[in-house]
Amino acid sequence: MQAGNRAPAAQRRLYRVALKLKAGLRPRRGRGAWAGWPVACLAFAAGVLALQMQATLPPRALTGTALAVAAWAAWRRPEDRPIAAFLLGFAWAAWQAQGRLDGGVTAAALGRDLRVEGAVVSLPERHGGVHRFDFRVDHLLDGPTAALRTPAVVRLSVYRPKRGAALPQAGERWRLRVRLKPVHGQRNPGTFDYETWAFARGVRGSGYVRAGPGTERLGPEPGAAAAWLRFRARLLALQSARLGEAARDGRIQALTLGWRGAVDEAQWALLRATGTTHLMAISGMHVGLLAALAYALGLALWRRLRARLAPWRWPPAQRLAALTALAAAAAYALLSGFSVPTQRALLMLAVGLAAWWSAAGARPWRAWCLALAVVLLWDPFAPLTPGFWLSFAAVAVLIHVFAGRRRPAATGLLRWRRAAGDLCRAQFALILGLAPLSAYFFGEAALLGALANLVAVPLVGLGVLPLAVAGTALLPFDDLSSGLLQAAAAGLAGLDRLLEPLSQAVAPWRPAQPPAWSLPLAALGVALLSLPRGVPGRWLGLGCLLPALTHAAPAPPPGALWLTVLDVGQGNAVLLRTAGHAALYDAGPRSAGGFDAGARIVLPHLRSLGIGRLDALLVSHEDQDHAGGAGAVLEGLDVAWVLAADPAPYRGRAGRVERCRRGRQWRWDGVTFRLLHPEPETPGDGNDASCVLEIEAGGRRVLLAGDIGARVERRLAAAGRLRPAALVLAPHHGSAGSSSPAWVDAVAPEQVVYSAAWANRWGFPRPAVTARYAAAGARQWHTGRDGALEFEVSAAGLRLRQAARARSRYWHHRPP
């Protein structure tokens, strides 16, 4: 009898779920201000997203036309209001984007000293002897007018400041002599996009402060925003003094003031390995947890006060507690700098509380849709940041899992057991729901993230965060503040002791970067898997998740070579792939300012392709622009074989380490690799000791020559070792001392690539070199201009598979 009722019961559960989903977005009459708005809000968001996907901005006339059509449709045709909302979102985002692009640094500023006046608008950071800060330029005092459109925020650095020298500090006004350039970052598939990050933050240029006359401190910047920034800077100094030795940790400052300048790479690595990086980036979780704590305390307080006073003269205690929670969240957002993520979290919280406060018919999904529209109205550039997608996805997962559940009231032990069960269910749902986005944006997801967050979220959100915020608020009281901050630091130290065994137990899961089309399908899969037990068809969610979580990057066919010249700035890094092997020729630069191309570019790119092991790492020579990133690559990946001009630094760090020598040859999957230089008697350092690698695939040759100069080029040509090549990586980045006539005549390349930074101070590639290759009929590429370049070499010929800057959005820099 019971077996016969299973199918009807399952059908009834499925029917109730369908009704709940249908009622979540269906406009209803008589439901107050919330009726009919969800679809319009989603259409507005779709319009904003459509604009952010454009390669160029629409003309201003078209934007105005879209606004006029949207207004007419909203007024005269109620059935077309979703279309009107879409056009409104598109036009609003276009208008805001045009305004942001109107200011900034232009190419006319390159190579010129400019005198500017403005104010420091961020808390400065110090890394490796470099003092960095955001500077709002209000006036261009000296220099070509076309070089800078003011006002504009630029990212400035002071390199190797003298001991005791006055440095620009938060909220101060300065006159500075600077060198500026437009925002230009390295463009590589699967890596951090600096230009998008800068545009979303409103940064429209970068540069450095020139030493000497022309630098002058003018005093404090007037205004409430600057005064608050100076106040936060004083809090940071006081907080560091109260923490003492614990101030080196840096995470207390990150949690309270939003300043992450002192959080070191080892701490980030531990957080990434355990899926807890979100704990150190102030977001909706922090704001929400602090608001929840404030609500609980406020509710207890207001109930007592209402009981003692005339209760009929006061609103219900729940509403007063909600106002207390909102006030606490706003204060915390201001304390942490009112960054874009905190603004977004505060808006979401305000909309959620407004939905709860107002009409009884307001439902969680309607509040979610309205919050989405309000956030995009406030900041149409929010979709350019991963935090936007992760925040709204996390809230959507929680609403889907918990909204509409009817359970009898619980008391005592049952209440605590239910709360613990809900916490576990929420953590596992979030790990599952956010895994595709984490794989897409960050290239990894911690397998033990759910277990780590079960401990870390309550400890940080309900322990460390309140203690740290209270200690910061009570900084004038020395002993009390020190005790609270030290207790918060001890909590973080205890968290480290819990996370370290977890990070060593299971390595982070690093899949290949999934395609964008798989993310909506994964969202459907998460929704299906999160349905109540007993609903038929839940298992179909696994099939929807598979494309995002098991995506494998395409590989070359046998006999073919795929070669990617990465855009690492001023340096070399070339990925070589055959059907079953992967090798790296050089690993990019590492600078004193903290930039390590191996960690920031090479490793993320390899992981985006699902490459977890290198069959060979060939380091042409030991100059930092070639070998600087090798240490990070050796630490982050298993490397079976290292070939280097100087093998000493790599002994014991790979399976096999050898010295480059002419005549060394091997074959992978029908592709032949052959070393042409150096000779056995060549010293193991200097440009002329560079390993020169010739690769032959399908009868076509590729030549990678490191930094050899004209002398070695002539020797190789005279010895008859150089043969015509389809593709050549220009020696020494296109310097005047390389790519000699003898070299160009001998290799006669079809195409040549210069791996050099855009607008570099050496002027690489030199005009004489580019003219020489042009006379030979070679097509020329420049990583600083074109981004990463991926070529396919096979019997069918040489083909460019993709150039990173060919897939640009309207905000990306397009060098001439």
mmCIF file with all atom_site columns, all heavy atoms in Angstrom, residues 352-364:
data_model
loop_
_atom_site.group_PDB
_atom_site.id
_atom_site.type_symbol
_atom_site.label_atom_id
_atom_site.label_alt_id
_atom_site.label_comp_id
_atom_site.label_asym_id
_atom_site.label_entity_id
_atom_site.label_seq_id
_atom_site.pdbx_PDB_ins_code
_atom_site.Cartn_x
_atom_site.Cartn_y
_atom_site.Cartn_z
_atom_site.occupancy
_atom_site.B_iso_or_equiv
_atom_site.pdbx_formal_charge
_atom_site.auth_seq_id
_atom_site.auth_comp_id
_atom_site.auth_asym_id
_atom_site.auth_atom_id
_atom_site.pdbx_PDB_model_num
ATOM 1  N N   . GLY A 1 352 ? 16.560 43.860 1.084  1.00 0.00 ? 352 GLY A N   1
ATOM 2  C CA  . GLY A 1 352 ? 15.964 42.721 1.771  1.00 0.00 ? 352 GLY A CA  1
ATOM 3  C C   . GLY A 1 352 ? 15.154 43.140 2.985  1.00 0.00 ? 352 GLY A C   1
ATOM 4  O O   . GLY A 1 352 ? 14.046 42.641 3.212  1.00 0.00 ? 352 GLY A O   1
ATOM 5  N N   . LEU A 1 353 ? 15.692 44.081 3.771  1.00 0.00 ? 353 LEU A N   1
ATOM 6  C CA  . LEU A 1 353 ? 14.956 44.567 4.938  1.00 0.00 ? 353 LEU A CA  1
ATOM 7  C C   . LEU A 1 353 ? 13.713 45.344 4.527  1.00 0.00 ? 353 LEU A C   1
ATOM 8  O O   . LEU A 1 353 ? 12.666 45.257 5.195  1.00 0.00 ? 353 LEU A O   1
ATOM 9  C CB  . LEU A 1 353 ? 15.872 45.430 5.804  1.00 0.00 ? 353 LEU A CB  1
ATOM 10 C CG  . LEU A 1 353 ? 16.981 44.678 6.545  1.00 0.00 ? 353 LEU A CG  1
ATOM 11 C CD1 . LEU A 1 353 ? 17.872 45.651 7.295  1.00 0.00 ? 353 LEU A CD1 1
ATOM 12 C CD2 . LEU A 1 353 ? 16.394 43.656 7.513  1.00 0.00 ? 353 LEU A CD2 1
ATOM 13 N N   . ALA A 1 354 ? 13.834 46.111 3.430  1.00 0.00 ? 354 ALA A N   1
ATOM 14 C CA  . ALA A 1 354 ? 12.657 46.840 2.950  1.00 0.00 ? 354 ALA A CA  1
ATOM 15 C C   . ALA A 1 354 ? 11.567 45.877 2.500  1.00 0.00 ? 354 ALA A C   1
ATOM 16 O O   . ALA A 1 354 ? 10.377 46.100 2.741  1.00 0.00 ? 354 ALA A O   1
ATOM 17 C CB  . ALA A 1 354 ? 13.056 47.772 1.801  1.00 0.00 ? 354 ALA A CB  1
ATOM 18 N N   . ALA A 1 355 ? 11.987 44.777 1.840  1.00 0.00 ? 355 ALA A N   1
ATOM 19 C CA  . ALA A 1 355 ? 11.002 43.780 1.419  1.00 0.00 ? 355 ALA A CA  1
ATOM 20 C C   . ALA A 1 355 ? 10.326 43.150 2.622  1.00 0.00 ? 355 ALA A C   1
ATOM 21 O O   . ALA A 1 355 ? 9.110  42.927 2.628  1.00 0.00 ? 355 ALA A O   1
ATOM 22 C CB  . ALA A 1 355 ? 11.702 42.703 0.576  1.00 0.00 ? 355 ALA A CB  1
ATOM 23 N N   . TRP A 1 356 ? 11.104 42.847 3.642  1.00 0.00 ? 356 TRP A N   1
ATOM 24 C CA  . TRP A 1 356 ? 10.528 42.236 4.848  1.00 0.00 ? 356 TRP A CA  1
ATOM 25 C C   . TRP A 1 356 ? 9.635  43.222 5.580  1.00 0.00 ? 356 TRP A C   1
ATOM 26 O O   . TRP A 1 356 ? 8.595  42.862 6.139  1.00 0.00 ? 356 TRP A O   1
ATOM 27 C CB  . TRP A 1 356 ? 11.669 41.777 5.756  1.00 0.00 ? 356 TRP A CB  1
ATOM 28 C CG  . TRP A 1 356 ? 11.230 41.338 7.110  1.00 0.00 ? 356 TRP A CG  1
ATOM 29 C CD1 . TRP A 1 356 ? 10.674 40.152 7.460  1.00 0.00 ? 356 TRP A CD1 1
ATOM 30 C CD2 . TRP A 1 356 ? 11.310 42.106 8.318  1.00 0.00 ? 356 TRP A CD2 1
ATOM 31 N NE1 . TRP A 1 356 ? 10.408 40.124 8.794  1.00 0.00 ? 356 TRP A NE1 1
ATOM 32 C CE2 . TRP A 1 356 ? 10.783 41.321 9.352  1.00 0.00 ? 356 TRP A CE2 1
ATOM 33 C CE3 . TRP A 1 356 ? 11.772 43.387 8.621  1.00 0.00 ? 356 TRP A CE3 1
ATOM 34 C CZ2 . TRP A 1 356 ? 10.709 41.760 10.669 1.00 0.00 ? 356 TRP A CZ2 1
ATOM 35 C CZ3 . TRP A 1 356 ? 11.711 43.838 9.923  1.00 0.00 ? 356 TRP A CZ3 1
ATOM 36 C CH2 . TRP A 1 356 ? 11.181 43.015 10.931 1.00 0.00 ? 356 TRP A CH2 1
ATOM 37 N N   . TRP A 1 357 ? 10.016 44.502 5.588  1.00 0.00 ? 357 TRP A N   1
ATOM 38 C CA  . TRP A 1 357 ? 9.289  45.523 6.328  1.00 0.00 ? 357 TRP A CA  1
ATOM 39 C C   . TRP A 1 357 ? 7.943  45.817 5.679  1.00 0.00 ? 357 TRP A C   1
ATOM 40 O O   . TRP A 1 357 ? 6.949  46.061 6.356  1.00 0.00 ? 357 TRP A O   1
ATOM 41 C CB  . TRP A 1 357 ? 10.133 46.800 6.373  1.00 0.00 ? 357 TRP A CB  1
ATOM 42 C CG  . TRP A 1 357 ? 9.584  47.910 7.243  1.00 0.00 ? 357 TRP A CG  1
ATOM 43 C CD1 . TRP A 1 357 ? 8.429  48.595 7.065  1.00 0.00 ? 357 TRP A CD1 1
ATOM 44 C CD2 . TRP A 1 357 ? 10.189 48.455 8.416  1.00 0.00 ? 357 TRP A CD2 1
ATOM 45 N NE1 . TRP A 1 357 ? 8.261  49.539 8.033  1.00 0.00 ? 357 TRP A NE1 1
ATOM 46 C CE2 . TRP A 1 357 ? 9.340  49.469 8.881  1.00 0.00 ? 357 TRP A CE2 1
ATOM 47 C CE3 . TRP A 1 357 ? 11.364 48.183 9.098  1.00 0.00 ? 357 TRP A CE3 1
ATOM 48 C CZ2 . TRP A 1 357 ? 9.651  50.228 10.013 1.00 0.00 ? 357 TRP A CZ2 1
ATOM 49 C CZ3 . TRP A 1 357 ? 11.660 48.939 10.214 1.00 0.00 ? 357 TRP A CZ3 1
ATOM 50 C CH2 . TRP A 1 357 ? 10.808 49.936 10.668 1.00 0.00 ? 357 TRP A CH2 1
ATOM 51 N N   . SER A 1 358 ? 7.922  45.848 4.334  1.00 0.00 ? 358 SER A N   1
ATOM 52 C CA  . SER A 1 358 ? 6.741  46.344 3.625  1.00 0.00 ? 358 SER A CA  1
ATOM 53 C C   . SER A 1 358 ? 5.720  45.246 3.415  1.00 0.00 ? 358 SER A C   1
ATOM 54 O O   . SER A 1 358 ? 5.370  44.511 4.332  1.00 0.00 ? 358 SER A O   1
ATOM 55 C CB  . SER A 1 358 ? 7.161  46.979 2.304  1.00 0.00 ? 358 SER A CB  1
ATOM 56 O OG  . SER A 1 358 ? 7.787  46.024 1.486  1.00 0.00 ? 358 SER A OG  1
ATOM 57 N N   . ALA A 1 359 ? 5.294  45.066 2.187  1.00 0.00 ? 359 ALA A N   1
ATOM 58 C CA  . ALA A 1 359 ? 4.135  44.220 1.897  1.00 0.00 ? 359 ALA A CA  1
ATOM 59 C C   . ALA A 1 359 ? 4.354  42.783 2.341  1.00 0.00 ? 359 ALA A C   1
ATOM 60 O O   . ALA A 1 359 ? 5.409  42.205 2.139  1.00 0.00 ? 359 ALA A O   1
ATOM 61 C CB  . ALA A 1 359 ? 3.841  44.244 0.390  1.00 0.00 ? 359 ALA A CB  1
ATOM 62 N N   . ALA A 1 360 ? 3.317  42.218 2.886  1.00 0.00 ? 360 ALA A N   1
ATOM 63 C CA  . ALA A 1 360 ? 3.403  40.823 3.320  1.00 0.00 ? 360 ALA A CA  1
ATOM 64 C C   . ALA A 1 360 ? 3.534  39.890 2.131  1.00 0.00 ? 360 ALA A C   1
ATOM 65 O O   . ALA A 1 360 ? 4.010  38.763 2.258  1.00 0.00 ? 360 ALA A O   1
ATOM 66 C CB  . ALA A 1 360 ? 2.160  40.455 4.134  1.00 0.00 ? 360 ALA A CB  1
ATOM 67 N N   . GLY A 1 361 ? 3.116  40.369 0.923  1.00 0.00 ? 361 GLY A N   1
ATOM 68 C CA  . GLY A 1 361 ? 3.227  39.516 -0.258 1.00 0.00 ? 361 GLY A CA  1
ATOM 69 C C   . GLY A 1 361 ? 4.602  39.482 -0.863 1.00 0.00 ? 361 GLY A C   1
ATOM 70 O O   . GLY A 1 361 ? 4.842  38.756 -1.816 1.00 0.00 ? 361 GLY A O   1
ATOM 71 N N   . ALA A 1 362 ? 5.514  40.306 -0.387 1.00 0.00 ? 362 ALA A N   1
ATOM 72 C CA  . ALA A 1 362 ? 6.866  40.306 -0.939 1.00 0.00 ? 362 ALA A CA  1
ATOM 73 C C   . ALA A 1 362 ? 7.552  38.986 -0.641 1.00 0.00 ? 362 ALA A C   1
ATOM 74 O O   . ALA A 1 362 ? 7.562  38.526 0.491  1.00 0.00 ? 362 ALA A O   1
ATOM 75 C CB  . ALA A 1 362 ? 7.654  41.466 -0.340 1.00 0.00 ? 362 ALA A CB  1
ATOM 76 N N   . ARG A 1 363 ? 8.136  38.403 -1.666 1.00 0.00 ? 363 ARG A N   1
ATOM 77 C CA  . ARG A 1 363 ? 8.747  37.094 -1.538 1.00 0.00 ? 363 ARG A CA  1
ATOM 78 C C   . ARG A 1 363 ? 10.252 37.212 -1.743 1.00 0.00 ? 363 ARG A C   1
ATOM 79 O O   . ARG A 1 363 ? 10.736 38.166 -2.353 1.00 0.00 ? 363 ARG A O   1
ATOM 80 C CB  . ARG A 1 363 ? 8.134  36.136 -2.561 1.00 0.00 ? 363 ARG A CB  1
ATOM 81 C CG  . ARG A 1 363 ? 6.647  35.940 -2.328 1.00 0.00 ? 363 ARG A CG  1
ATOM 82 C CD  . ARG A 1 363 ? 6.010  35.224 -3.507 1.00 0.00 ? 363 ARG A CD  1
ATOM 83 N NE  . ARG A 1 363 ? 4.565  35.175 -3.320 1.00 0.00 ? 363 ARG A NE  1
ATOM 84 C CZ  . ARG A 1 363 ? 3.892  34.062 -3.057 1.00 0.00 ? 363 ARG A CZ  1
ATOM 85 N NH1 . ARG A 1 363 ? 4.529  32.929 -2.927 1.00 0.00 ? 363 ARG A NH1 1
ATOM 86 N NH2 . ARG A 1 363 ? 2.588  34.094 -2.910 1.00 0.00 ? 363 ARG A NH2 1
ATOM 87 N N   . PRO A 1 364 ? 11.027 36.229 -1.256 1.00 0.00 ? 364 PRO A N   1
ATOM 88 C CA  . PRO A 1 364 ? 12.488 36.344 -1.354 1.00 0.00 ? 364 PRO A CA  1
ATOM 89 C C   . PRO A 1 364 ? 12.993 36.528 -2.776 1.00 0.00 ? 364 PRO A C   1
ATOM 90 O O   . PRO A 1 364 ? 13.903 37.316 -3.007 1.00 0.00 ? 364 PRO A O   1
ATOM 91 C CB  . PRO A 1 364 ? 12.979 35.023 -0.748 1.00 0.00 ? 364 PRO A CB  1
ATOM 92 C CG  . PRO A 1 364 ? 11.882 34.580 0.157  1.00 0.00 ? 364 PRO A CG  1
ATOM 93 C CD  . PRO A 1 364 ? 10.614 35.045 -0.472 1.00 0.00 ? 364 PRO A CD  1
#
